[in-house]
Amino acid sequence: MTGSASLPPMRARLAVALTAAVTALTMTGAVPAAASAPPPEAKAPAAFVALGSVDPTILQEMRYVRPHNFVGEPVDGYRQPVCILTRPAAEALHRAQVRLLRQGYSLKVYDCYRPQRAVDHFVRWAKDLGDERRKAEFYPRVEKSRLFEEGYIAEKSGHSRGSTMDVTIVRLPALPAPRPRPGQESVPCYAPRSERYPDNSVDMGTGFDCFDTLSHTDDPRIQGVQRANRDRLKSALAAEGFVNLPEEWWHFTHKPELFPDTYFDFPVAYRSVLGHRP
């Protein structure tokens, strides 16, 4: 037998009084009620897949999982370095990869599906004008206060719809990028390839996420080998239904989009697409 009836009279009265006090405080909100289990995190719709399950040969260097990016820290919502896309986009990227492999190149993705919480992180960062940790590399010629006005940051991103990716090409055999030298994180993203932060991709004239007009795909100042590399990437993807964003040589969207008006927020993690067929 349990409860106040089995206690000595004084302890029983104290137990009853304590129970009544806690109940009253809980009802007024002064003491939180027992926490319920958090709701399960959203998973991706069945139409999303991990790119590696469709084409394991495409290289993946997911930049927002790690701190080397324009924010300077891992971005909200990126749990694991996995590229997630809608199935039609992944299958089209596979077909472009087959085309490029015959030419001695491989695709490499920097970013794929991007949750809305990551976009919100970018927006908060852009509004914090005091945080310019990565200005020297990623936006040396643009004032941070103008990132919204000039279109480098927005409150919605096509990446969140699942059919957009940031991609480049790597000459085969794909060698790992050399370790960065001291100070290279302060070298402008449009500096000569040998000077800027190392990447094993071909020379596109700027690094990835370079907030500069030199990143415009058809900027006339980009010529020679750099122009040929941009054209090779654009041609291979255009043949499979990808449309390039003119302001960013690396940004492509597969058309028609499967979810043209939906902005998802499930995390970038293998569990988000666990059990989805390739």
Side-chain angles (χ1 to χ4, degrees), residues 169 202-206 213-235 244 246 249:
I169 53 177
V202 301
D203 187 4
M204 294 289 191
T206 77
T213 54
L214 278 172
S215 294
H216 293 187
T217 307
D218 295 324
D219 189 288
R221 293 169 291 178
I222 301 298
Q223 295 294 328
V225 172
Q226 297 170 342
R227 166 60 52 199
N229 288 335
R230 291 190 184 190
D231 289 346
R232 184 186 300 275
L233 174 64
K234 185 177 179 180
S235 175
N244 173 242
W249 60 257

Side-chain angles (χ1 to χ4, degrees), residues 118-128 148 153-156:
V119 179
D120 295 342
H121 189 166
F122 291 165
V123 170
R124 291 194 306 274
W125 167 83
K127 290 179 178 179
D128 180 3
F148 287 104
I153 301 292
E155 294 188 353
K156 294 290 184 182

